[in-house]
């Protein structure tokens, strides 16, 4: 990774305090799809680029064993400090080298993180560690929220919502072109 934005201890502690978990709609998409591919109980999930654990904790009701990995020691320190669930562990390691055996993982997740990875190497690693019929979920989300700061809350919220709207249009257009291309091919 060329840029390392998640290394500071203060940054990591703010992450732990303020970052939300992925929305229920996204969780439902992932676990409904899992249900179509594998039978319960699910064994082992790895959340890569887990940060302080918000995207890792959503896996707890579903898996017997969960590992969160991140390249940033500060993020992993915060995730470990907040962890009181015995079957969840955290490890400092790059997405491109996950410290688990081959064919051992039922689900690999990467929430708001895969854009930082060396993606070709990551896919190779996922290929190595996933069990047959295992799943990879790469996802992100744009929260619908208000921004509060002194007497500028209204203006900041307006700016935030406009940027989110433009991003959705851009992503929609990209997705549309991609689907069209696939249809043509
Ligand atoms: C935007 S945060 C998302 C954290 C968490 N998944 C969440 O949704 O709250 C991106 C995380 O990816 C991690 N990261 C970036 N490049 C990585 C890499 N090559 N291997 C593992 N983690 C990486 C960063 O350290 C950071 O914690």
């Amino acid at each position: 990774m060329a840029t390392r934005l998640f290394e500071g201890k203060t940054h990591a502690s703010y992450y732990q305090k303020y970052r939300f978990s992925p929305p229920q709609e996204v969780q439902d998409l992932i676990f409904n799809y899992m249900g179509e591919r594998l039978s319960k109980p699910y064994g082992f999930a790895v959340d890569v680029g887990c940060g302080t654990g918000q995207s890792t904790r959503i896996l707890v009701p579903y898996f017997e064993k969960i590992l969160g990995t991140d390249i940033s020691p500060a993020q992993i320190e915060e995730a470990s400090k907040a962890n009181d669930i015995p079957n969840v562990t955290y490890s400092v390691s790059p997405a491109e080298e996950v410290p688990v055996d081959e064919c051992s993982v039922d689900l690999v997740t990467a929430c708001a993180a895969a854009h930082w990875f060396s993606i070709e190497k990551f896919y190779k690693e996922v290929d190595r560690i996933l069990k047959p019929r295992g799943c990879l979920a790469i996802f992100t989300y744009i929260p619908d929220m208000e921004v509060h700061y002194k007497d500028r809350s209204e203006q900041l919220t307006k700016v935030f919502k406009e940027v989110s709207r433009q991003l959705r249009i851009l992503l929609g257009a990209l997705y549309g072109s991609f689907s069209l291309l696939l249809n043509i091919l």
Side-chain angles (χ1 to χ4, degrees):
M1 182 174 59
T3 321
R4 301 274 292 257
L5 296 180
F6 302 91
E7 302 299 310
K9 280 184 182 250
T10 312
H11 183 128
S13 71
Y14 286 157
Y15 235 70
Q16 185 62 282
K17 201 163 168 193
Y18 296 114
R19 190 164 171 82
F20 351 87
S21 288
Q24 191 60 46
E25 295 94 303
V26 175
Q27 299 183 34
D28 290 346
L29 267 177
I30 296 170
F31 298 117
N32 290 341
Y33 183 72
M34 282 284 298
E36 290 168 19
R37 307 261 313 165
L38 294 169
S39 39
K40 286 182 188 161
Y42 307 137
F44 185 23
V46 179
D47 182 32
V48 180
C50 66
T52 48
Q54 280 82 344
S55 52
T56 317
R57 293 192 273 271
I58 63 167
L59 304 167
V60 168
Y62 299 91
F63 289 87
E64 285 166 356
K65 196 170 104 180
I66 297 149
L67 171 69
T69 70
D70 200 285
I71 204 163
S72 158
Q75 297 277 333
I76 289 296
E77 192 184 324
E78 282 292 336
S80 305
K81 262 197 308 198
N83 182 32
D84 54 4
I85 302 161
N87 60 338
V88 179
T89 52
Y90 290 98
S91 154
V92 178
S93 49
E96 301 79 6
E97 287 168 48
V98 182
V100 303
D101 291 339
E102 57 191 50
C103 296
S104 62
V105 182
D106 297 283
L107 174 69
V108 175
T109 51
C111 173
H115 53 291
W116 297 109
F117 305 163
S118 297
I119 202 73
E120 291 299 329
K121 288 187 186 162
F122 172 63
Y123 285 147
K124 268 196 183 157
E125 186 62 344
V126 170
D127 207 27
R128 182 185 75 79
I129 66 177
L130 270 187
K131 287 179 186 169
R133 295 189 71 75
C135 301
L136 166 65
I138 293 180
F139 58 100
T140 191
Y141 55 91
I142 299 172
D144 185 17
M145 64 181 201
E146 294 177 357
V147 184
H148 292 276
Y149 184 71
K150 296 184 180 170
D151 62 345
R152 298 290 157 144
S153 300
E154 204 178 313
Q155 283 152 296
L156 284 170
T157 299
K158 223 169 147 185
V159 170
F160 179 82
K161 286 191 187 290
E162 181 55 20
V163 170
S164 300
R165 196 179 71 83
Q166 294 291 346
L167 276 174
R168 277 192 201 107
I169 293 170
L170 181 68
L171 288 173
L174 282 175
Y175 180 73
S177 320
F178 185 60
S179 309
L180 185 65
L181 189 66
L182 282 181
N183 284 336
I184 291 169
L185 295 174

